[in-house]
Amino acid sequence: MFKDRDIQRKLKNLTKLPTLAEVGRLLESFLQVDIEGSPEIERELVFIASSDPALSFNILRMVNSAYYGLPRKISNIEEAINIIGFSDLSEYILKPMTKTFLTHLPYYDWRSFWFHSLASAITARYIGKEIDFPHIGEIFTASLMHDIGKIVEALMYPSFFKEAIEKSNDNWVPFFEIERSLTGIDHAFLGGFLARMWRFPYEYIKAIESHHDNHIPEEFHGKKARILSVVTMVANDIVKYYGITTPGASYYVLNGELFEFLNLSREFIDKFSFEIRRETMLSLERLSISLHR
Ligand SMILES: [Fe+2]
Ligand SMILES: [Fe+2]
């Protein structure tokens, strides 16, 4: 069984999450040009930064680090980029991210992870608009990062990750349940753990670590964190219902209690399925990720 102290020690070696090679090449093309002063290029880079789960995660780490010493946590990616500035962003985040990439494994194609994460984020944004939630950027980012613990697991505990995926496939038991039975923790816990170590805003830590809980968080977590968590759970399930899943077995719940909490009609699920798919495909294309290769 995994112990917090050992996880902490292990994750200390992790300072950046890698992205896909295709996104890395795209980032490289930005390093060749003078980003500052070209609103078009700036806009495209902000789009990429807020649509790539690993890149968003790295940006949040940097902006919330002791180096910046800000009096409050920053959760909005656009605001984070404004604070960091394009030149430091290029030097300390983009450049290193063009050097090492996530390698596709025979049992895990990371493009499906990007597909699932982006579809969840876009679904969450539609939900946010539907329920008039004021923090649309945050609702998107929370869902985009919900499964980030899988990247952490694949990097830091590769043999455990492989075993869990294979056992999940072989026995048709949800991946997170296999993870828990093998180690006592799962990728939700691991992602939340790293987000906490990297001093992320509380609502992100909560949304990541509770995304498989399937119940409404207690009131003491605060309104914003509760809504972000529940939207993250619901978006994840809706996307699975659409069939946009990652390797390993999984199921969706579409829990009526969560819909009620958000004041979200069940009709939402089918009402936007076309738009959500279309937007996700367009976003993948802008990230230069092709699912058919
Ligand atoms: Fe998950
Ligand atoms: Fe997920």
Side-chain angles (χ1 to χ4, degrees):
M1 292 289 135
F2 282 22
K3 288 203 183 72
D4 284 12
R5 204 188 41 221
D6 300 332
I7 300 173
Q8 173 111 21
R9 202 173 300 141
K10 188 121 188 160
L11 299 195
K12 261 198 181 138
N13 303 317
L14 197 57
T15 53
K16 231 163 238 84
L17 295 184
T19 183
L20 304 182
E22 39 270 70
V23 181
R25 279 193 295 271
L26 186 63
L27 296 179
E28 198 149 30
S29 69
F30 281 96
L31 295 171
Q32 318 296 325
V33 293
D34 185 16
I35 300 166
E36 263 160 312
S38 165
E40 243 166 77
I41 297 177
E42 279 186 14
R43 219 177 304 129
E44 195 57 22
L45 189 55
V46 169
F47 172 83
I48 292 162
S50 25
S51 310
D52 184 278
L55 184 45
S56 286
F57 211 75
N58 293 337
I59 289 174
L60 288 171
R61 176 192 190 232
M62 186 165 174
V63 78
N64 290 300
S65 67
Y67 175 78
Y68 285 92
L70 299 171
R72 65 183 172 92
K73 304 267 183 195
I74 305 298
S75 50
N76 187 284
I77 299 293
E78 222 174 312
E79 189 184 3
I81 295 177
N82 277 332
I83 293 168
I84 296 171
F86 285 105
S87 118
D88 280 1
L89 179 73
S90 301
E91 191 59 30
Y92 301 110
I93 297 184
L94 305 188
K95 226 185 235 174
M97 286 182 81
T98 61
K99 304 276 187 285
T100 39
F101 311 113
L102 268 178
T103 16
H104 296 306
L105 305 159
Y107 51 88
Y108 210 96
D109 183 335
W110 286 103
R111 288 173 303 180
S112 64
F113 178 96
W114 257 245
F115 187 23
H116 171 77
S117 302
L118 255 172
S120 301
I122 290 167
T123 304
R125 183 160 59 203
Y126 270 87
I127 297 175
K129 283 183 190 157
E130 193 77 356
I131 64 170
D132 276 329
F133 187 66
H135 312 282
I136 292 292
E138 280 91 330
I139 228 171
F140 183 91
T141 304
S143 272
L144 184 75
M145 303 186 303
H146 76 275
D147 273 330
I148 209 82
K150 290 186 185 177
I151 300 182
V152 180
E153 199 175 298
L155 293 173
M156 307 314 279
Y157 304 97
S159 54
F160 159 58
F161 183 64
K162 179 174 190 277
E163 187 186 350
I165 291 283
E166 285 173 350
K167 281 212 164 113
S168 168
N169 281 332
D170 292 348
N171 305 305
W172 202 240
V173 175
F175 178 62
F176 73 94
E177 283 178 18
I178 295 282
E179 289 176 296
R180 287 176 192 175
S181 69
L182 288 175
T183 62
I185 62 153
D186 59 18
H187 64 279
F189 176 88
L190 213 48
F193 199 100
L194 186 63
R196 190 169 274 119
M197 278 177 76
W198 287 8
R199 307 155 57 109
F200 273 34
Y202 174 73
E203 59 268 25
Y204 284 159
I205 299 171
K206 191 73 204 141
I208 293 169
E209 71 186 8
S210 68
H211 80 265
H212 284 294
D213 283 4
N214 193 29
H215 61 75
I216 302 158
E218 305 291 337
E219 245 167 86
F220 69 85
H221 292 295
K223 196 175 168 210
K224 190 177 176 189
R226 290 177 94 204
I227 294 182
L228 274 191
S229 294
V230 174
V231 170
T232 303
M233 291 175 210
V234 170
N236 185 33
D237 277 335
I238 291 179
V239 161
K240 285 189 208 162
Y241 164 81
Y242 292 157
I244 306 173
T245 55
T246 48
S250 67
Y251 59 73
Y252 56 85
V253 201
L254 302 178
N255 179 344
E257 199 196 341
L258 302 182
F259 278 74
E260 226 167 85
F261 175 79
L262 296 174
N263 223 340
L264 183 70
S265 150
R266 304 271 293 198
E267 281 156 24
F268 170 90
I269 304 170
D270 294 314
K271 194 168 148 197
F272 294 108
S273 68
F274 177 77
E275 283 89 341
I276 289 169
R277 278 181 172 282
R278 210 186 56 135
E279 261 184 55
T280 306
M281 296 319 282
L282 287 173
S283 296
L284 284 172
E285 208 174 289
R286 261 171 103 178
L287 287 176
S288 74
I289 299 169
S290 158
L291 295 174
H292 316 284
R293 205 176 290 161

